Amino acid sequence: MKEQNEVLYYRLIQDHLKEMFPIIYTPTEGEAIQNYSRLFRRPEGCFLNIFDQDRIEDNIAQWGEPDDIDLVVVSDGEQNHELLNDELYLGLRQPRVRGEEYDNFVSTFVQSVRKSYPKAYIHFVSSHTNAICMFTHHQQEDFGLHNARRILDKYQPEIACFNDDVQGTGCVTLAAIMAASHVSKVKLQDMRFVLFGSGTAGTGIADQIKDAIAHESGKSKDEAGQQIWCVDKPGLLLKSKKDQLTPAQMPYARDDQAWEGKDHNDLLSVVREVKPHVLIGTSTKPKTFTKEVVQEMAKHVDRPIIFPLSNPTRLHEADPRDINKWTEGRALIATGSPFPPVEHDGVQYEVAECNNSVTFPGIGLGAVLSRTRLLPPSMLVAATKALAAQAPALKDPNAGLLPDVTDVREISVQIAKAVIQQAVKEGLNQEKDIPEDDADLEEWIREQMWDAQYRPLKKVERDSASAHAKGEAGSATSHRSAKV
């Protein structure tokens, strides 16, 4: 349908998002990516070859004039050795390139985008080819555990960019924590956090929590980080294990002396010692939030906040029904996949889904409309607070800790508003004449949101037609201004 009628495709999604979401997103999305070469019909982006870096700038420049591109989605591909043996595979048939050549590739791409589209916002994502695919926005996702963090740290101080796997997961999880903080009546700066699973998502969540604590309390980031304990394959992250830790994990490594004589090799021992208010799982280790672990946590806090976030469902650290039962209905729960409500003593509790798709559209919208030069942590905290403010649990403690994805357009308006206002506050906006009044700003945002409606047609002579119209008509002379 998307190939034949784009307006109808998006209208179907817009009007029936609940039914369509599992088809256009998790779990179907992963399978579609794996089968991209077999489903391929026509290119919808720009493919850049790592062995042809001299052409990157020219290839990118073909997509429009400086103000034509608002958003660049880019992927460095996801290595899959099985696909290398597929005769229909469209990517390079070789192992992923590493080291200096890879870094030069990414740097050349970023500099070329900045030169051709200086106001664009970048979103980094993963696919399955050893190439970079450019669409219409600047955002980073799934560049791999090591590269994702490294690339984000390098370019975040220089350009407006976003990594959904690192930052998006952290933002939506933090929003659920903020809502749970309201219900439990425990302030964020007073909470203790245990994160089980310290990969890209886990450390990304830890970073967002640390930034929010520092922003809200005035503590330094190092002080805020002392409220977070990260557990991974070697057990609790300790400084003595630095050779086994990634750069993203190092800030959360604890002093060995503080744990001398204490068991720190399993989750139960850490929970027993730390007595956390919040337990988050991104380990992909199913059933690791055992009855013993959950009840040990529930001994020390009135409303344990427990988020088994690993996907797909079969990899969840615990079933919400069990968590609810083991805590006698006291736990505040969010998961990484949709679950039905749970019940205890006749009281029904809505299980929130920590779905990144309720965050990154609004963040991107705010970044694009404000033409922000950077996307610093303070903007993500503002976006997260805007998302948390829409949680149903603020009005009903038995309702979800996050709003439903079906309300994503209105959610995005509020998140975009918060991002824009923070950009203006920090003097990062390049867009002028942004409304100051809240109501006026919301109206300004809505007016610029695309709606899936057929446009009225008006016949004009070719000489007076717009460049876009000529491009749609197939005029070779207007190719560079055609729709992308």
Side-chain angles (χ1 to χ4, degrees):
M1 180 185 291
K2 185 175 185 294
E3 290 287 322
Q4 297 176 347
N5 190 326
E6 199 169 42
V7 172
L8 182 60
Y9 168 79
Y10 283 111
R11 189 70 192 194
L12 175 66
I13 294 171
Q14 185 176 320
D15 291 350
H16 301 277
L17 186 56
K18 196 75 170 180
E19 300 96 318
M20 294 295 107
F21 203 73
I23 297 173
I24 63 171
Y25 201 60
T26 305
T28 310
E29 175 193 39
E31 183 179 348
I33 290 172
Q34 290 290 323
N35 288 284
Y36 178 78
S37 294
R38 294 179 174 274
L39 297 172
F40 181 84
R41 288 176 172 80
R42 63 182 177 87
E44 294 184 85
C46 175
F47 293 82
L48 306 177
N49 192 320
I50 195 167
F51 299 122
D52 200 6
Q53 297 192 32
D54 291 341
R55 295 181 58 187
I56 289 177
E57 182 178 327
D58 183 63
N59 288 345
I60 287 174
Q62 301 303 314
W63 289 80
E65 300 301 324
D67 289 334
D68 289 345
I69 302 298
D70 297 319
L71 181 64
V72 177
V73 178
V74 56
S75 170
D76 72 342
E78 186 65 26
Q79 186 67 66
N80 185 316
H81 294 286
E82 293 181 5
L83 291 177
L84 295 180
N85 298 319
D86 186 338
E87 61 182 9
L88 296 180
Y89 181 55
L90 296 174
L92 294 178
R93 295 179 181 276
Q94 65 170 61
R96 176 187 292 276
V97 173
R98 304 287 185 184
E100 185 178 354
E101 188 172 16
Y102 174 89
D103 290 343
N104 289 339
F105 185 40
V106 176
S107 178
T108 301
F109 164 77
V110 171
Q111 297 308 319
S112 298
V113 170
R114 293 182 71 181
K115 181 177 179 180
S116 296
Y117 314 112
K119 296 180 181 179
Y121 160 71
I122 299 182
H123 181 129
F124 293 88
V125 298
S126 78
S127 182
H128 63 290
T129 63
N130 210 346
I132 290 187
C133 305
M134 190 184 79
F135 298 89
T136 51
H137 96 269
H138 229 65
Q139 183 173 330
Q140 282 179 18
E141 179 183 315
D142 288 344
F143 261 64
L145 174 58
H146 176 65
N147 284 332
R149 169 61 57 180
R150 191 170 59 87
I151 291 172
L152 181 64
D153 288 344
K154 179 177 181 179
Y155 292 109
Q156 191 176 29
E158 302 176 9
I159 60 175
C161 64
F162 185 79
N163 183 310
D164 189 49
D165 198 40
V166 175
Q167 297 168 297
T169 302
C171 286
V172 71
T173 304
L174 176 59
I177 292 170
M178 287 179 169
S181 169
H182 175 86
V183 176
S184 65
K185 295 179 172 56
V186 180
K187 294 181 179 179
L188 192 67
Q189 55 263 38
D190 296 327
M191 288 182 170
R192 296 179 296 275
F193 303 83
V194 168
L195 276 74
F196 184 61
S198 303
T200 305
T203 54
I205 292 169
D207 288 346
Q208 295 302 322
I209 293 171
K210 179 174 66 175
D211 288 343
I213 292 173
H215 187 268
E216 293 296 298
S217 67
K219 294 180 181 179
S220 69
K221 289 190 177 183
D222 287 342
E223 287 179 300
Q226 291 302 305
Q227 296 176 223
I228 302 168
W229 287 258
C230 291
V231 181
D232 208 65
K233 293 176 183 177
L236 181 69
L237 302 189
L238 297 174
K239 291 182 178 178
S240 62
K241 300 176 181 178
K242 61 182 180 181
D243 292 341
Q244 304 175 49
L245 306 182
T246 67
Q249 293 171 336
M250 279 301 298
Y252 302 101
R254 315 293 295 197
D255 289 325
D256 290 67
Q257 293 179 343
W259 286 82
E260 190 173 351
K262 301 174 183 177
D263 192 353
H264 50 72
N265 293 322
D266 65 272
L267 179 60
L268 177 60
S269 299
V270 174
V271 168
R272 184 178 288 129
E273 181 66 25
V274 173
K275 302 175 178 58
H277 299 84
V278 182
L279 176 62
I280 299 170
T282 59
S283 67
T284 67
K285 302 295 182 184
K287 303 186 185 305
T288 43
F289 289 0
T290 63
K291 180 178 180 180
E292 193 174 10
V293 168
V294 171
Q295 291 189 335
E296 177 64 34
M297 180 182 178
K299 286 180 185 178
H300 308 288
V301 293
D302 183 49
R303 300 299 302 269
I305 301 166
I306 303 177
F307 295 174
L309 301 181
S310 292
N311 277 319
T313 305
R314 60 183 173 81
L315 299 180
H316 266 41
E317 288 79 8
D319 189 301
R321 292 173 298 180
D322 292 331
I323 296 172
N324 192 55
K325 178 181 177 182
W326 296 336
T327 61
E328 298 179 329
R330 292 190 289 127
L332 300 170
I333 308 167
T335 57
S337 296
F339 277 89
V342 295
E343 188 174 315
H344 180 76
D345 285 346
V347 178
Q348 193 174 79
Y349 177 79
E350 294 287 337
V351 178
E353 180 186 358
C354 280
N355 193 315
N356 295 12
S357 58
V358 297
T359 56
F360 68 77
I363 293 172
L365 180 62
V368 166
L369 295 184
S370 66
R371 300 287 191 181
T372 182
R373 290 191 296 272
L374 301 172
L375 194 67
S378 54
M379 276 194 196
L380 299 184
V381 171
T384 300
K385 291 171 72 173
L387 176 59
Q390 299 175 79
L394 301 187
K395 297 179 180 178
D396 178 358
N398 292 315
L401 296 173
L402 291 167
D404 194 275
V405 70
T406 54
D407 299 320
V408 67
R409 285 178 69 87
E410 180 57 32
I411 294 168
S412 296
V413 169
Q414 300 304 320
I415 293 176
K417 181 177 75 171
V419 169
I420 292 169
Q421 289 175 331
Q422 190 66 31
V424 171
K425 181 179 179 181
E426 298 187 28
L428 293 173
N429 60 298
Q430 299 177 81
E431 181 69 30
K432 305 303 180 184
D433 301 320
I434 295 175
E436 296 182 7
D437 179 75
D438 277 10
D440 291 342
L441 180 55
E442 288 181 21
E443 182 180 0
W444 183 75
I445 293 169
R446 289 191 179 95
E447 286 177 350
Q448 298 180 82
M449 292 174 70
W450 183 76
D451 200 14
Q453 292 183 345
Y454 293 114
R455 294 173 297 177
L457 299 179
K458 178 182 178 182
K459 185 177 179 180
V460 297
E461 296 301 322
R462 177 175 290 275
D463 291 343
S464 60
S466 67
H468 179 82
K470 291 178 181 177
E472 289 290 313
S475 172
T477 58
S478 303
H479 176 68
R480 287 184 53 172
S481 299
K483 184 180 179 183
V484 297

